[in-house]
Each structure stands twice: as structure tokens, then as C-alpha cells.
Amino acid sequence: KRVVLKVETEGDCYVAVTGIQQPQEDHASIMVKFARDCMTKLSQLVNDLVATLGADTADLEMRVGLHSGSTTAGVLRGAKSRFQLFGDTVNTASRMESNGVRGRMHVSQTTADALIAKGKSHWLVAREDKIEVKGKGEMQTYFVTVNSDKSVRTAISSIVYDSNGGSDVENEEMENPDGADPTP
């Protein structure tokens, strides 16, 4: 639906990417919407499982880290050959996830800049504290504030394919559930 490719699942980490097969000009928005979809689905599944697995199940949440940039992709040979991503972009996305907060999307300055360039600055809230990233030093990062609560109007976007095989993401309003002005 969102032209996102699952690369691998390792432990509790799910790695996904867009733009590998064909560059996506709106990659940051696509990945935010994909992450929001995943978080919404997880919330629904957790609510359904509470009756079976117990009230503690309701504490399960997802933590998302996003970074934008170029990457190297390929299949490693050997006993466990599989498609993988390599490079600084992957490492930085991993740092966004590991330094993130449960139930929130944490994005790098690069991804924030890509969202701002597409008119989505209202999705962003600057993180108050800078994070220390191995090999990079201090980084200003952002939280993406989206509302997946069905009781609040949230327009659903879709990918529209043109006759040349390209795609365009229709506009989508994502609301700030905190009610504060999220403009950095």
C-alpha cells in the first residue's frame, strides 16, 4: 500500500525502507505514515490480546526511529544469505530507534528537513534534549506527533500510481493530539 519494503526482522526489531526499487521524493512522509499504520495495528492487536494474555499485555508499545539518506543494499552470501541494508543511514536510523521513546516516532534532523520541505512541519516537535550518537556527537532530533485515535478526524492517504509507474502520496492531515503548536 505504501511502497515500503520489509528488509528484515531481528529480535524485536523490524527494518523497513522505501525508495530502494525506485526513489521516492516523499520518502519521509511515506515512512511516517507506514510507522503510524504499524503503531495503530499493534495497538489494536494488543487490545484484542488483553483478554487472553492478561492486563500486562496492554503495556506493549512500539518505538520507531527514522532517518533519511542513501544506503547500500545487497544479498550477503553464505549459510544465511539474505537481503540487507548497509551504511551510515541504517546506523543512524538504528540510533533514532534506540534513543526513542515508547509509543513515539523519533526522527533525525535529516528526516525532519525532508518533512519540512514537504510542508509537514506541523507533524514535528523538537526534542528538548539533544542526544549523543556514537560517531556523530550531539544531534538535535524530533518526535513526530500523529494521532491514530479513530475518534479524531484523520484523513487517510493512499498511493496513486501514474501511467509511468511512478507514485504520488495524496495529502493527509495528521493532527497533534497534545493540542500544542508542534512547529520547531
Side-chain angles (χ1 to χ4, degrees):
K1 175 182 173 180
R2 301 225 182 265
V3 193
V4 173
L5 172 68
K6 174 198 170 218
V7 177
E8 64 184 319
T9 305
E10 200 165 303
D12 66 351
C13 185
Y14 185 94
V15 179
V17 65
T18 193
I20 290 290
Q21 301 93 336
Q22 180 177 21
Q24 299 288 339
E25 184 180 325
D26 209 15
H27 69 277
S29 296
I30 291 168
M31 291 307 293
V32 165
K33 292 171 187 177
F34 173 75
R36 192 243 358 246
D37 293 348
C38 290
M39 293 171 84
T40 299
K41 186 64 174 175
L42 176 66
S43 179
Q44 293 167 353
L45 289 171
V46 165
N47 287 336
D48 292 347
L49 290 173
V50 166
T52 307
L53 300 177
D56 288 351
T57 306
D59 294 338
L60 292 174
E61 287 187 274
M62 183 180 283
R63 182 173 67 194
V64 175
L66 300 173
H67 179 64
S68 301
S70 57
T71 187
T72 301
V75 176
L76 288 182
R77 290 185 168 179
K80 293 185 175 182
S81 57
R82 64 180 195 247
F83 181 77
Q84 287 186 291
L85 299 176
F86 305 93
D88 185 59
T89 298
V90 178
N91 295 337
T92 304
S94 176
R95 299 297 184 267
M96 293 301 103
E97 184 275 329
S98 64
N99 284 286
V101 176
R102 288 173 38 144
R104 300 199 72 184
M105 283 182 243
H106 186 218
V107 302
S108 66
Q109 181 70 58
T110 305
T111 300
D113 290 344
L115 290 167
I116 291 167
K118 292 297 181 180
K120 306 298 184 189
S121 63
H122 60 285
W123 291 1
L124 299 168
V125 176
R127 186 172 177 153
E128 290 181 21
D129 56 325
K130 292 185 178 181
I131 64 167
E132 186 68 31
V133 176
K134 182 180 174 182
K136 292 187 171 287
E138 264 191 356
M139 288 180 70
Q140 174 64 60
T141 59
Y142 299 82
F143 290 112
V144 177
T145 306
V146 297
N147 192 343
S148 59
D149 182 350
K150 299 300 180 198
S151 67
V152 177
R153 183 193 58 79
T154 301
I156 303 300
S157 73
S158 61
I159 305 293
V160 178
Y161 292 90
D162 65 27
S163 59
N164 297 324
S167 65
D168 184 31
V169 178
E170 294 177 356
N171 282 342
E172 174 176 351
E173 278 302 310
M174 298 176 98
E175 298 174 2
N176 179 2
D178 301 325
D181 180 11
T183 306

